[in-house]
Amino acid sequence: MNLKRIKGVPFLCLIFSLFTACSYREFEDSLKQELNNDEDTHVNEAVVPEQPAEDEEDDGLFFIGDTIARGGVEYTLNDVHISKNINEVGLDKAEFNSLGYPLVNDDGSINGNHQLVTVDVTIKNVNYTDYELRTNPDLERDKPNLFIEGLIGFKNDLEDPNGPFTIELAYFSHHAPFDQNLGKDYRQFLLDHGEEVDAIVGWIVPIDQLNEEPLYYLNGSEGRAEDQQYFHIMYEGEIVYRD
């Protein structure tokens, strides 16, 4: 009797393993199908508006001199620059070295058929408070922590069906120290309620694309694509001003 029980164990294990393998294959196939469905149903909701905005919270286009107000923070675009050399706008090569940008040469020039695009913006914290400051009474800092709006994009890339595709910042004048959190906090800065700061944000951009396509500075880049607002900063290599 005991021998029969022992002989039955391998048989039961075989049945269990076959069932388990079958179940895993079904699970794997189901997961693959779900991932494929997600890829098939991806819809890029980003649409760059064509009409100028009527006010600070409008969905239209904004330009130099305009202000975008959202989430308790105001961004005013003061100026835009296109530079072949970072010295033209008074920037330090060490800043770009720390972020690993090999396109900036020792003399400040930019190689690889690229140019530097910078914007001068005034950022005002009207009444924004970050989640950590609101919920942690033991937090050492007493000022809200903000993230700089650090993305630009060309119209075709922003509206690409597989996009939106954007360009990450290469420079931020008021960044956190490079060694803070292994450099991951570069885009962050502290700004109290009612305070404002004049900042410079920059990107290294391909010249050919810059001379052919409209370029936009995104506001609300941490949120959904359909909720973003846009400063129109370039049109075929020319800086754009409101008519």
Side-chain angles (χ1 to χ4, degrees):
M1 185 66 178
N2 292 336
L3 182 60
K4 290 182 178 179
R5 288 179 180 174
I6 294 173
K7 288 182 177 179
V9 171
F11 176 75
L12 291 175
C13 289
L14 177 61
I15 294 297
F16 178 75
S17 64
L18 290 174
F19 176 77
T20 303
C22 181
S23 299
Y24 179 78
R25 280 196 297 270
E26 290 178 353
F27 168 75
E28 190 178 45
D29 292 341
S30 174
L31 182 60
K32 288 180 179 178
Q33 182 64 37
E34 185 175 342
L35 291 174
N36 288 335
N37 288 340
D38 288 343
E39 292 177 359
D40 294 340
T41 57
H42 170 75
V43 177
N44 180 12
E45 301 289 347
V47 177
V48 180
E50 297 183 357
Q51 299 300 320
E54 297 294 333
D55 56 52
E56 295 175 352
E57 299 181 1
D58 195 1
D59 292 331
L61 279 179
F62 295 83
F63 303 85
I64 294 175
D66 290 342
T67 298
I68 293 177
R70 61 185 299 144
V73 180
E74 293 181 351
Y75 271 74
T76 301
L77 180 62
N78 300 315
D79 209 350
V80 179
H81 306 274
I82 310 173
S83 307
K84 297 179 180 179
N85 191 304
I86 64 173
N87 296 327
E88 296 175 19
V89 282
L91 302 187
D92 185 354
K93 184 180 184 299
E95 295 277 350
F96 294 88
N97 286 348
S98 298
L99 287 178
Y101 278 91
L103 294 177
V104 180
N105 300 315
D106 291 338
D107 63 356
S109 62
I110 303 168
N111 59 24
N113 199 32
H114 290 72
Q115 288 183 335
L116 177 70
V117 174
T118 53
V119 296
D120 298 338
V121 292
T122 298
I123 307 160
K124 182 176 182 179
N125 184 357
V126 179
N127 57 14
Y128 169 80
T129 301
D130 62 278
Y131 177 79
E132 190 177 20
L133 186 58
R134 292 199 311 267
T135 59
N136 186 354
D138 299 324
L139 199 63
E140 293 183 359
R141 61 178 170 86
D142 57 1
K143 290 187 176 184
N145 186 45
L146 282 70
F147 285 76
I148 186 66
E149 294 289 357
L151 297 179
I152 60 174
F154 292 98
K155 182 176 176 63
N156 289 341
D157 291 338
L158 292 171
E159 297 181 341
D160 188 292
N162 296 314
F165 300 111
T166 56
I167 300 173
E168 292 275 355
L169 63 81
Y171 174 80
F172 171 42
S173 59
H174 288 67
H175 63 79
F178 286 111
D179 57 355
Q180 181 174 306
N181 193 19
L182 301 176
K184 296 179 181 179
D185 295 340
Y186 181 85
R187 293 178 55 206
Q188 301 180 33
F189 63 107
L190 302 179
L191 194 64
D192 208 353
H193 292 175
E195 290 185 347
E196 64 181 36
V197 62
D198 293 327
I200 299 174
V201 191
W203 302 264
I204 295 179
V205 182
I207 295 175
D208 292 343
Q209 199 168 6
L210 188 64
N211 289 335
E212 295 178 359
E213 300 181 40
L215 181 64
Y216 304 87
Y217 179 33
L218 279 63
N219 192 282
S221 57
E222 298 294 331
R224 301 182 305 174
E226 59 268 34
D227 295 331
Q228 292 170 355
Q229 293 169 290
Y230 304 88
F231 284 112
H232 191 182
I233 58 177
M234 298 280 181
Y235 183 79
E236 296 181 355
E238 298 294 330
I239 296 173
V240 177
Y241 298 86
R242 182 184 285 270
D243 293 335

